[in-house]
Amino acid sequence: MLGVGVTSGGTRTNYSLTRGEGALEVSRNETGASIADARGRESVSLVGEWIADIVASQDDDEMCVWIGAAGFSASTAREIAERLGPSMRMLGKRLEEDDKQCEVFICNDAVALLKSPPLLGAGVVAIVGTGSVVMGAHPSCADGVVKRGGYEWLVSDEGSGVWMTLESIRLLLADIEARGPVDYHSALLDRLADHVGISESELRDIPSSHVALAKADLVARRMAESRMDAKRFFGRFVYPHIFDLASLEPGKPHDPIASEVLNRSVSHIVDSARVVSDILAAHTADEPNSRDKLPLIVGGNIAANPLYDQRLRAAVSSECRSVSSVEAIGDPSDSLAALSYHYLESDHKGRRLLRKSIDPLHPVLKLL
């Protein structure tokens, strides 16, 4: 038996394999292809073909694939399923010819983690990567998923990589306006200007005393330009720049605004985790001291950074009374592979419960 876990975030798609003895392959990725980019047919189709090739290349007779996709919900499920349809039908024919059995499921990435070991439907999940969301569920809460954030970067995704880049620009502009533009210097501003491709020649007509404000203004305008890869482009600035400039290591440049952006991201995520965990815990008992405390699983490339992880753990410890533990897993494909294998090991009733949607807004679809 083989469990395959696939996680498709805002910028890339990764996978892991397990035959019950831990992950066999971890975080192999198809950079630039993402199911979350539901507006790009080519990107979604590429992911589907890639997954089909991975599964078809395995020798196991019985397999399960669980796909966790950022942005997957009741409102996007039909479109994404249709775009993955051709590759799944192709996979079905290839497996039938080889007399192999495989089931393929897809749901939201945070929902997939909620269903995976060790939570198995009782706990809180935070995703902090290109986008962000906090979700939780508990058998005592009949409402289904309790969710905060995750409504795309233009209106939500607070604390995410995209949000961190945009927040850097907002804070820089506010700082320049408050302190005045004369002789203003910021390593963060210089790196942003390099990221968006601003050349010195574009600023040659600006008096030296006001170059910083002009540069920040140009960065903001360049970010506002229409581009197909906007989400990926914004999120890519976080590594290495914001984390590098937020560090206090000797010999490294430090920028207080980069550090503040990191702190604000942690604050957004922890505040959402506190609200979600408190709501769920209230369903477990009337007396506050008797309520369950829930584990928190944190996934995503930003959350896996040691600087972020340390600050998040400290904030959760002091602010989240309904959280019992914190586990940062980075890329969640390992957990989804464990979910797939757990599905294969389960009896008929157990499989049905895993396939079941947590609520109508967060479906689990069978693609094959």
Side-chain angles (χ1 to χ4, degrees):
M1 295 192 302
L2 175 68
V4 183
V6 180
T7 176
S8 191
T11 57
R12 64 175 61 187
T13 300
N14 301 333
Y15 79 90
S16 292
L17 309 177
T18 183
R19 293 186 174 89
E21 299 177 355
L24 300 176
E25 297 189 43
V26 183
S27 298
R28 295 286 300 275
N29 68 78
E30 178 69 27
T31 303
S34 170
I35 291 172
D37 184 12
R39 292 160 297 281
R41 287 185 177 273
E42 184 177 344
S43 180
V44 180
S45 298
L46 180 60
V47 172
E49 293 167 7
W50 186 64
I51 293 171
D53 287 341
I54 292 167
V55 175
S57 67
Q58 306 304 315
D59 295 329
D60 304 79
D61 293 332
E62 186 178 8
M63 296 176 279
C64 176
V65 181
W66 208 290
I67 306 168
F72 189 89
S73 67
S75 59
T76 62
R78 179 186 293 272
E79 183 178 18
I80 291 174
E82 287 177 354
R83 294 181 181 182
L84 289 173
S87 56
M88 292 298 106
R89 288 191 290 272
M90 176 189 69
L91 174 61
K93 291 180 180 178
R94 293 168 69 178
L95 294 174
E96 185 177 1
E97 291 172 358
D98 295 335
D99 195 25
K100 297 178 182 177
Q101 294 182 351
C102 180
E103 294 181 80
V104 181
F105 301 98
I106 184 171
C107 65
N108 181 275
D109 53 352
V111 170
L113 281 177
L114 283 173
K115 287 180 170 285
S116 299
L119 296 185
L120 295 176
V124 180
V125 169
I127 303 291
V128 194
T130 305
S132 66
V133 69
V134 176
M135 289 189 188
H138 193 280
S140 299
C141 179
D143 295 337
V145 167
V146 178
K147 175 183 176 182
R148 291 295 181 272
Y151 298 104
E152 277 298 340
W153 60 277
L154 280 173
V155 296
S156 183
D157 281 3
E158 294 85 359
S160 68
V162 171
W163 178 93
M164 290 171 75
T165 298
L166 298 177
E167 186 74 352
S168 295
I169 300 169
R170 287 189 285 260
L171 291 184
L172 273 169
L173 285 165
D175 192 49
I176 294 171
E177 291 174 345
R179 294 168 55 187
V182 178
D183 298 326
Y184 185 94
H185 177 72
S186 164
L188 179 61
L189 177 57
D190 290 342
R191 295 201 188 190
L192 278 164
D194 288 341
H195 185 68
V196 300
I198 295 173
S199 64
E200 292 299 324
S201 63
E202 294 178 83
L203 302 167
R204 64 174 178 265
D205 297 328
I206 308 297
S208 59
S209 60
H210 285 67
V211 165
L213 181 57
K215 186 182 290 186
D217 176 70
L218 197 51
V219 166
R221 293 177 184 276
R222 197 67 56 85
M223 283 290 193
E225 293 175 356
S226 177
R227 52 187 303 153
M228 288 295 294
D229 66 339
K231 190 173 182 179
R232 186 175 297 114
F233 179 69
F234 295 163
R236 207 161 47 221
F237 179 74
V238 176
Y239 282 104
H241 304 299
I242 291 180
F243 282 110
D244 185 34
L245 293 173
S247 172
L248 289 171
E249 290 185 31
K252 279 193 173 184
H254 175 74
D255 189 292
I257 291 179
S259 185
E260 175 62 17
V261 168
L262 194 60
N263 288 336
R264 290 190 180 195
S265 172
V266 169
S267 179
H268 276 296
I269 299 302
V270 171
D271 187 58
S272 294
R274 176 186 57 78
V275 171
V276 170
S277 59
D278 283 351
I279 290 173
L280 292 172
H283 287 272
T284 64
D286 293 330
E287 172 58 42
N289 291 333
S290 301
R291 292 172 180 171
D292 289 353
K293 290 190 174 184
L294 306 172
L296 169 64
I297 302 292
V298 187
N301 59 325
I302 288 176
N305 184 281
L307 271 180
Y308 200 98
D309 181 47
Q310 292 166 10
R311 299 184 192 201
L312 185 136
R313 288 176 185 273
V316 167
S317 177
S318 63
E319 299 177 31
C320 300
R321 62 182 179 181
S322 299
V323 172
S324 60
S325 61
V326 180
E327 182 182 359
I329 61 172
D331 175 71
S333 57
D334 276 7
S335 295
L336 272 59
L339 172 60
S340 296
Y341 196 83
H342 177 67
Y343 177 86
L344 293 173
E345 287 189 310
S346 300
D347 58 17
H348 178 73
K349 181 179 179 181
R351 291 188 178 193
R352 181 174 57 81
L353 290 174
L354 285 172
R355 292 193 303 263
K356 185 180 179 182
S357 299
I358 295 180
D359 63 33
L361 292 179
H362 301 94
V364 175
L365 294 188
K366 186 175 182 180
L367 299 175
L368 182 64

